[in-house]
Structures are given as structure tokens and as C-alpha cells.
């Protein structure tokens, strides 16, 4: 079961965190941008190549202490098809370094189309007799608004190819409650979605008690997070919103079970931009600053869990 | 207002339909596939280039009779970054031929990330002093599960750059009701989402009474479609599910207002694969068969509207 692979890495590194690789061009140090602009002009290709170099340096600096990365598809699409090539190359590089890769795409559609998304991001496509992995991630975030037949094609790939998904339940943004907190009967929509995650995952439970179907639950709503942890015993949580969005170690502690498992906490901007915030950090040392911030985050979260 | 541009084209062509360009490789005639495989091997690039050639032939055959195309992002992502390059080139070609392009991506995320998606699909990005359109569509489908702050960045681009969005309300798939039909108070979730579309669009209403915020409502649920038409007077509908999914002309007629406006009906597979179904159609004449099926669909829908 795919999320077992993630949990194993978390256990081995004593670090339940994932670094969100959401590389806006302005996060990339100027010297690195300039190197590509001088060669390739002010083009999407140059921007995408600068981002790839930045990502690789970050992966090198993080792969022995952080179990997983979560590239956000939007920040690659923003640089067009060269950006998508950078996404492919980033995923490949991180997996070569042993990292677990969660593509944050929040994809959703009808069954036939989800079969295409599942093949694109987690599976492979056949071209003649050749099988190719278009993006090749270990897990994908998805939106469950369309119900079971939009999830089914993913479950098949999770089973056959040892992959995972994380379904949006309660998102970290300020207006998430507009739909997600509204009550269906006695339950808020996010809990109905959480119940569906338990259901979808019920035939796919791994060695740690968690299925290959996880849920996205924001660090910015610690009460709902702790409440869902109790109600969804087989659903691992991907928790965004720690760091730049305001979530803290105390807030996310409720995402974990009694064995300190069951959640992986994401931070993106606070880690990617660490080199901008650290006093007197030369921009050439961006990767070391990123590593220091990732260690600080790990220690912040684990210290709280081991009180 | 962007959807005014779409409505104008629909009026001019007397055709409220959109062709879904969802080109699985097996929809492309073998002779066209082989031409690229011989040159480029069994690669993602060859597959993506074969699809681009197929798309261009379809656009040539349709651009004087069909107002819009709707490329489905999943079927391009399935062929990796070369597939995304085919998406860019397909959009560019269709727009050069005067067609309105709706990218069907069902994108959704928190505000900061939706700013990136909005720039990617509808807007532009700055690289140094250069502005580039990464994908450059006229409209994008989105999922509103995250609420207003995930929609706001799109509204800004709709306003400034004359673009539009279509938000999922009631989707065409069999299990759409699992979440969308559940009641929040007295209203089903899809109607709450529809009300939000009216609200989001209220400051962006164009000359025909429709805003730049449309909704996706499936042809496979004709009662809900007719009901929502009455309740959402400023929200244009993008209606999938006609044709291969089972929706018919009578079913979609309820999507239109008294002026026979307010909806655009999509068909994908039934049109793209017309050349496979037409008796004795040589595969070299695929584009003509596609054109005949598009005309049949137009006449089917408009005949019903003008009874």
C-alpha cells in the first residue's frame, strides 16, 4: 500500500513533514535566474529551467532529512509546457533520491476523464508496445465533489501500482467553510467527505492501519483536524497551512494518532523562502538555509508530539 | 465581458454547441498516428504531435460552423509535457481561427495558488520585462469546493482581460449526487453552488444579462438543468453529457432562456469518433465525418429550440 511507503519513510527519518515545492520564479535566487536568462532569454523555457535547477538543489539539501515533497501543479502550469517538463524532471529527480512525491493537483472529473488523470499522474500510458509514465508521482491530491465514479479509476491504480491519493476534506483557506462547513443533516460537508474517504479506502488498508486514500485537512482549523482524526481512523491526513498560512505545532498535533502517526504536515513558502528571511544569508547559500528551516520545522513538530 | 464574446459567436453561427477536444490516441486515425510514429518512434512526443495534427484538422473542419472548442486538460496531461505543448498549440490554432476556447481543467485551490492557475490558463506571466501567455484560453472550468477566495483571482482576470469561468454545479456523471444532491437546509449542494455563481458574477454582468461566471450543469439531469435555469438568471450554463453520455436535445432544451440563449452544449466522443461510426467512411475522411456529426448535433438542438 502506497501510504505505507510514506509512513515507513516518516518513521525512518523521525520527520512527519513534507516540503511543498511551489516555486514561483521570485523564490529562485537572482543569480540562478540570471544564469538561465543570459543563456535562453526571458522565456518560459529559461524560467522553467531556473526553477528546475532550484528544485534540484533543494532536493539535494533535503532528501536525507525530509521524507517527501509536494510539488503544486499550478506553479508549474504557470510556466506553460516547459513548466510541466520541469514538473516531470523534478518528480523524477526526487524519486531517484528516494523521496516520496505527492503531486498537488486537486484533480477531479467524471470517471472516464479521471482514468486519464490517473494514468497521467500516477500510472502509465501505452504508446504502441511502449509504456511511459507521463508524470510518475507516488500520490495525487484530488477533489471529491463528483463522487465515487470520479475516484474509482484512482483506486485501481493505487491497488495495482502501489500509489495513494489525498482527497480534499477541510481545506486551509479562509473561505473553506462556505461549502465545507455547511451541514448535511447533522454533519458538515467536510465530515461527509471524510466518511467517503474511509469508505473508499476500506478495501485498501495497509500495515499501519491507514488506507491508500488520505484526506487533506488544514492546519489552520485545529479543532476540526483533531475531531476528524478521531472519526477517521484509517485515513491519513495531508495537512497544509503550517508556517506561512499560520498553523503551528500545537495546532497540528491533533492530526496524529496515539502512535504519533497518521499525518504528514506540509510547509511551502516558509521553507522555500527561508534564505530570504535568514539574517545575512548570502543568496548562494539558499539551499543550506532551506535545510536549516526544514530541520527547525521537524524539531518544532516532533518536540510537541514527544512532550 | 468574456461570455458575451461566446454568446455573440453562438448567435452569429446559430449554433449553441461546443466540441470537446478530448483526443485519446485511439480516436486519432491510424494513418495519422503511423506518420508520427515512423518519424519519432513510440514516444510521448510522437503521440502528442499526432494529436495536434488531428486537432488542427478538426478545427479546420469546424471553425466556420461551431463557435467554441473545449479541450479537456486530462487528455493532454496524459501525454506528459509534450501533451501540454499540444494543448498550448491547439488553443493557439483555434483562437487564430476565431474560435472561443474553454479549457476544461476543473482547477481549484487556495487563493494564492488560484492566482497561479488563473495566470497559467487565462492570463499571462512576467519573465523579466516580457509578458507571456502560458496557455491562453478564453475561459476555464473550475471547482468551487474551496469557496470565494479560490474564485477571486479568476474574477480579477475575467474583468481585466475579458475572460470567463464555468464553476461545477451539477456534474453529468452517475455519482454526482453523492455530494451534489445532498441538502444543505432546504437546498441541494448544487443549488448552493449555483447561488454562489450568481453572487460571484453579480458585478460582472454583460450585454446579454449573463455574467462572466458560468456554471457546469450536466445534460444527464434535465430536471435539475431546467430548474437551475429559472433560479440562476445571470449564470450561463456549460452543459456536458449530450451524446455519448446519453443526454438528448429535449433534455438540454431546459438549459436555454426564452431568447434561446444562456447555454452552450458540449459533445466530445460522439463528435470526435464520428468517422469510426459512419458506415463506409474511409479514415482519411475523418474530418469531414466530424463536420457532418457537428452539423447533425447543431440541427438537432436548434430544431428542438425552434419548435
Amino acid at each position: 500500500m502506497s501510504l505505507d511507503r510514506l509512513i515507513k519513510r516518516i518513521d525512518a527519518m523521525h520527520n512527519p513533514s513534507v516540503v511543498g515545492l511551489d516555486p514561483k520564479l521570485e523564490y529562485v535566487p537572482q543569480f540562478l535566474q540570471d544564469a538561465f536568462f543570459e543563456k535562453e532569454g526571458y522565456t518560459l523555457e529559461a524560467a522553467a529551467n531556473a526553477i528546475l535547477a532550484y528544485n534540484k538543489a533543494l532536493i539535494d539539501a533535503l532528501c536525507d532529512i525530509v521524507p517527501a515533497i509536494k510539488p503544486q501543479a499550478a506553479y508549474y502550469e504557470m510556466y506553460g509546457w516547459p513548466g510541466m517538463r520541469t514538473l516531470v524532471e523534478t518528480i523524477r529527480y526526487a524519486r531517484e533520491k528516494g523521496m516520496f512525491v505527492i503531486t498537488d493537483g486537486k484533480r477531479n472529473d467524471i470517471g472516464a476523464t479521471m482514468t486519464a488523470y490517473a494514468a497521467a499522474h500516477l500510472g502509465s500510458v501505452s504508446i504502441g508496445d511502449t509504456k511511459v509514465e507521463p508524470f510518475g508521482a507516488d500520490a495525487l491530491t484530488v477533489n471529491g465533489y463528483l463522487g465515487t465514479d470520479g475516484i474509482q479509476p484512482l483506486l485501481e491504480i493505487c491497488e495495482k501500482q502501489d500509489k495513494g491519493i489525498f482527497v480534499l476534506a477541510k481545506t486551509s483557506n479562509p473561505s473553506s467553510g462556505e461549502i465545507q462547513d455547511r451541514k448535511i443533516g447533522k454533519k458538515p460537508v467536510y465530515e461527509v467527505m471524510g466518511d467517503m474517504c474511509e469508505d473508499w479506502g476500506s478495501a485498501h488498508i495497509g500495515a499501519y492501519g491507514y488506507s491508500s486514500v488520505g484526506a487533506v485537512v488544514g492546519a489552520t482549523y485545529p479543532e476540526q483536524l483533531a475531531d476528524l482524526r478521531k472519526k477517521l481512523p484509517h485515513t491519513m491526513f495531508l495537512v497544509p497551512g503550517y508556517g506561512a498560512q499560520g498553523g503551528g505545532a500545537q495546532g497540528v498535533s491533533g492530526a496524529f494518532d496515539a502512535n504519533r502517526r497518521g499525518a504528514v504536515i506540509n510547509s511551502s513558502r516558509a521553507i522555500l523562502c527561508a534564505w530570504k528571511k535568514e539574517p545575512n544569508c548570502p543568496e548562494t547559500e539558499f539551499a543550506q538555509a532551506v535545510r536549516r528551516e526544514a530541520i527547525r520545522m521537524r524539531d518544532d513538530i516532533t518536540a510537541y508530539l514527544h512532550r
Side-chain angles (χ1 to χ4, degrees), chain A residues 104-122:
Chain A
D104 195 354
K106 298 185 175 65
R107 297 301 194 248
N108 63 107
D109 217 295
I110 65 171
T113 305
M114 282 310 279
T115 304
Y117 274 132
H121 292 285
L122 301 178

Side-chain angles (χ1 to χ4, degrees), chain A residues 2-3 5-6 18 68-74 76-77 84 87 91 95 100-111 113-124 134-144 150-158 161-169 197 200 211-216 235-238 264:
Chain A
S2 163
L3 296 183
R5 289 198 283 123
L6 174 58
V18 47
I69 58 161
K70 180 178 76 63
Q72 164 57 257
Y76 298 85
E77 291 181 31
M84 295 307 267
L87 176 58
I91 293 170
R95 295 192 73 195
F100 188 93
V101 179
I102 304 164
T103 295
D104 195 354
K106 298 185 175 65
R107 297 301 194 248
N108 63 107
D109 217 295
I110 65 171
T113 305
M114 282 310 279
T115 304
Y117 274 132
H121 292 285
L122 301 178
S124 57
F135 288 94
D138 296 296
L140 178 69
T141 64
V142 301
N143 183 319
I151 300 296
Q152 196 59 46
L154 296 153
L155 298 182
E156 286 161 25
I157 281 192
C158 287
Q161 299 187 36
D162 195 25
K163 306 277 179 163
I165 58 171
F166 291 93
V167 183
L168 301 188
C197 291
W200 291 326
S211 81
S212 50
V213 179
V216 175
T235 304
M236 182 150 178
F237 294 162
L238 170 62
V264 61

Side-chain angles (χ1 to χ4, degrees), chain A residues 33-50 85:
Chain A
Q33 293 187 39
D34 289 344
F36 288 92
F37 291 145
E38 278 163 26
K39 265 192 297 183
E40 306 177 272
Y42 289 93
T43 58
L44 291 176
E45 284 86 344
N49 286 334
R85 188 170 58 190

Side-chain angles (χ1 to χ4, degrees), chain A residues 221-245:
Chain A
Y221 299 100
E223 277 177 46
Q224 288 91 330
L225 188 54
D227 181 50
L228 285 179
R229 177 70 293 144
K230 284 173 210 134
K231 288 176 174 155
L232 310 175
H234 308 103
T235 304
M236 182 150 178
F237 294 162
L238 170 62
V239 183
Y242 173 93
Q245 287 183 58

Side-chain angles (χ1 to χ4, degrees), chain A residues 6 15 23 49 77 89 136 180 204 222 259 303:
Chain A
L6 174 58
N15 186 2
N49 286 334
E77 291 181 31
E89 296 295 334
Q180 298 162 30
H204 311 271
N259 299 314

Side-chain angles (χ1 to χ4, degrees), chain A residues 6-285:
Chain A
L6 174 58
I7 296 168
K8 247 178 228 161
R9 283 188 63 79
I10 289 172
D11 280 7
M13 292 186 172
H14 306 287
N15 186 2
S17 73
V18 47
V19 171
L21 278 189
D22 308 358
K24 294 175 95 162
L25 192 54
E26 66 248 42
Y27 296 175
V28 178
Q30 195 63 47
F31 81 94
L32 203 50
Q33 293 187 39
D34 289 344
F36 288 92
F37 291 145
E38 278 163 26
K39 265 192 297 183
E40 306 177 272
Y42 289 93
T43 58
L44 291 176
E45 284 86 344
N49 286 334
I51 289 169
L52 180 59
Y54 173 72
N55 282 352
K56 285 184 171 178
L58 261 51
I59 290 165
D60 286 339
L62 296 171
C63 63
D64 63 324
I65 51 165
V66 174
I69 58 161
K70 180 178 76 63
Q72 164 57 257
Y75 290 104
Y76 298 85
E77 291 181 31
M78 201 165 99
Y79 299 101
W81 66 263
M84 295 307 267
R85 188 170 58 190
T86 282
L87 176 58
V88 175
E89 296 295 334
T90 298
I91 293 170
R92 183 175 305 157
Y93 193 76
R95 295 192 73 195
E96 279 168 14
K97 299 278 172 172
M99 299 184 97
F100 188 93
V101 179
I102 304 164
T103 295
D104 195 354
K106 298 185 175 65
R107 297 301 194 248
N108 63 107
D109 217 295
I110 65 171
T113 305
M114 282 310 279
T115 304
Y117 274 132
H121 292 285
L122 301 178
S124 57
V125 294
S126 292
I127 301 175
D129 293 332
T130 312
K131 278 206 171 194
V132 191
E133 286 194 328
F135 288 94
D138 296 296
L140 178 69
T141 64
V142 301
N143 183 319
Y145 186 72
L146 282 83
T148 300
D149 60 25
I151 300 296
Q152 196 59 46
L154 296 153
L155 298 182
E156 286 161 25
I157 281 192
C158 287
E159 186 68 25
K160 282 186 206 155
Q161 299 187 36
D162 195 25
K163 306 277 179 163
I165 58 171
F166 291 93
V167 183
L168 301 188
K170 173 68 182 166
T171 57
S172 61
N173 58 313
S175 59
S176 69
E178 289 173 13
I179 291 285
Q180 298 162 30
D181 290 357
R182 303 290 294 275
K183 293 273 173 66
I184 291 174
K186 288 184 178 171
K187 289 183 177 180
V189 169
Y190 70 79
E191 196 181 325
V192 173
M193 198 65 91
D195 289 344
M196 290 168 80
C197 291
E198 282 283 306
D199 192 39
W200 291 326
S202 60
H204 311 271
I205 294 173
Y208 301 92
Y210 290 99
S211 81
S212 50
V213 179
V216 175
V217 188
T220 44
Y221 299 100
E223 277 177 46
Q224 288 91 330
L225 188 54
D227 181 50
L228 285 179
R229 177 70 293 144
K230 284 173 210 134
K231 288 176 174 155
L232 310 175
H234 308 103
T235 304
M236 182 150 178
F237 294 162
L238 170 62
V239 183
Y242 173 93
Q245 287 183 58
Q250 182 178 0
V252 300
S253 63
F256 294 88
D257 65 22
N259 299 314
R260 304 186 185 104
R261 289 202 185 101
V264 61
I265 314 297
N266 180 76
S267 176
S268 304
R269 269 171 289 172
I271 290 188
L272 299 185
C273 297
W275 62 273
K276 290 188 174 190
K277 285 181 194 156
E278 217 176 67
N280 308 317
C281 176
E283 63 169 22
T284 49
E285 287 174 28

